[in-house]
Amino acid sequence: MTEPTDPIEGFLRQSLATETAPTLSPNFQQQLGARLQPRRIRKKQRRFLLAYSAIGFLLSLGTLQLAGFSIGLTLLCVLAPLAIIIVALRPHFRSLL
Amino acid sequence: MDTDSSDEELVVRYVTQRDEPAFTELVTRYREPVFRLAVSVLGPGFVGEAEEVAQEVFLRVHASLKSFRREAKFSSWVYRIAFNQALNVKARVRYRAPHLSYQALPELVAPDSNPHDTVQDLGRNQALAECIAQLPEVYQSALRLHYWLGHTVTEIATLLGVPENTVKSYLHRARRLLQALLEQKGYSDDGTH
């Protein structure tokens, strides 16, 4: 005995079948491969970033000292945000080195 | 290409020896089903987004293979990531109209089609698409996998990580809900207005 066909089944098949079945683009794997490559920065860029950070650090220290902050408070104001950034971005640091 | 090794053997090889071809083989095995699962969640208008989901899934798998607990099947783990990732993307693109695939254009402007029938079909298909969008996510996915992408109940069960009887029940309940929603829109259960 055959199971009676649900009328909505026919409608679904007819309606959804008009949509072309999608296919993956042929360069899917290449695109993925490119995204999986670790991004490394060049030596020159690394030097620039380090110099920029050092100047920023020294300028902040100098400015806060001139503003009359004690050395302890100055270090706290500069190092605490830096520590937060380092902890938050730690997973990304490997690609910077 | 290593087609003989099991998924779990490939995972172990990648984790312990950093064997890139093992990961490539896993991507080759799962890229198509992951993409199909994603497109079943997102719907026909979001094929590009589904491909992006598939890319994200493999990036995530690559990043967290070390934490993969081997008591679960690799395929179940990948499909769960894909389903959740597709749901996240769907929440972002929900209010954007789907774009019409260039592949669908010839069907719309087929020279031998009757314009009246074409308009009626489009209206009917639009009503059906709206009704499907109101169903629970897992019902939508099961319906699209079965009626659009032609997957069997067994295949859908694997993709959704549920028993086959559950898939049958999803499909049955989805059809009943659709029937009720279509009736509210003035269509009979065979799609006639």
Side-chain angles (χ1 to χ4, degrees):
Chain A
M1 210 173 105
T2 54
E3 215 177 297
T5 320
D6 200 338
I8 200 158
E9 275 216 64
F11 177 36
L12 275 165
R13 285 189 198 286
Q14 195 188 354
S15 187
L16 291 180
T18 58
E19 297 281 354
T20 315
T23 46
L24 265 180
S25 63
N27 54 353
F28 178 84
Q29 205 119 347
Q30 285 91 323
Q31 284 174 355
L32 182 67
R35 291 176 74 175
L36 285 170
Q37 288 292 320
R39 277 174 294 166
R40 290 186 177 279
I41 59 166
R42 278 175 278 172
K43 214 172 179 178
K44 222 177 183 178
Q45 290 171 315
R46 195 166 63 224
R47 275 188 195 156
F48 173 78
L49 277 173
L50 284 173
Y52 185 83
S53 310
I55 292 168
F57 179 72
L58 292 172
L59 270 176
S60 310
L61 281 183
T63 310
L64 289 171
Q65 281 284 285
L66 283 175
F69 281 48
S70 69
I71 187 73
L73 193 58
T74 303
L75 283 174
L76 185 75
C77 287
V78 177
L79 294 179
L82 203 63
I84 292 169
I85 291 171
I86 289 172
V87 169
L89 298 180
R90 203 169 50 177
H92 305 284
F93 280 168
R94 239 177 51 187
S95 61
L96 286 174
L97 301 171
Chain B
M1 218 178 273
D2 184 358
T3 48
D4 295 333
S5 304
S6 72
D7 296 342
E8 284 69 25
E9 284 168 348
L10 291 170
V11 170
V12 170
R13 259 182 27 215
Y14 180 74
V15 172
T16 55
Q17 302 160 31
R18 222 51 196 165
D19 183 10
E20 289 295 340
F23 185 74
T24 307
E25 173 59 22
L26 287 170
V27 175
T28 307
R29 282 182 194 180
Y30 287 98
R31 63 187 172 191
E32 201 64 46
V34 160
F35 168 66
R36 284 178 156 245
L37 181 59
V39 89
S40 79
V41 173
L42 287 158
F46 299 98
V47 174
E49 286 78 2
E51 186 152 333
E52 185 54 33
V53 165
Q55 292 262 339
E56 283 298 325
V57 167
F58 289 112
L59 289 175
R60 199 169 283 195
V61 165
H62 187 264
S64 48
L65 260 184
K66 279 181 190 163
S67 63
F68 165 61
R69 285 177 292 128
R70 281 173 216 142
E71 60 260 33
K73 271 180 81 179
F74 177 77
S75 58
S76 315
W77 183 60
V78 172
Y79 295 147
R80 200 169 53 244
I81 295 175
F83 192 81
N84 291 335
Q85 180 67 18
L87 282 182
N88 289 342
V89 171
K90 190 174 188 177
R92 281 209 306 269
V93 300
R94 195 181 294 271
Y95 300 106
R96 219 184 62 209
H99 68 269
L100 190 62
S101 156
Y102 72 92
Q103 292 165 309
L105 285 173
E107 289 158 25
L108 287 179
V109 293
D112 53 343
S113 62
N114 177 339
H116 180 258
D117 289 351
T118 306
V119 170
Q120 217 168 30
D121 285 352
L122 283 174
R124 196 186 61 168
N125 292 349
Q126 179 64 33
L128 181 66
E130 284 167 14
C131 293
I132 291 177
Q134 291 178 46
L135 299 176
E137 296 293 350
V138 75
Y139 290 6
Q140 292 185 35
S141 186
L143 274 182
R144 291 193 187 109
L145 284 167
H146 192 59
Y147 294 106
W148 177 32
L149 303 171
H151 283 277
T152 62
V153 168
T154 313
E155 288 165 345
I156 300 171
T158 309
L159 287 169
L160 297 180
V162 293
E164 285 182 33
N165 280 337
T166 308
V167 174
K168 285 180 190 166
S169 157
Y170 285 166
L171 289 171
H172 178 76
R173 282 190 241 156
R175 285 195 300 263
R176 294 286 74 81
L177 280 170
L178 267 184
Q179 202 171 346
L181 289 166
L182 282 165
E183 275 168 15
Q184 280 174 19
K185 285 186 181 277
Y187 288 89
S188 66
D189 57 4
D190 60 356
T192 50
H193 213 11

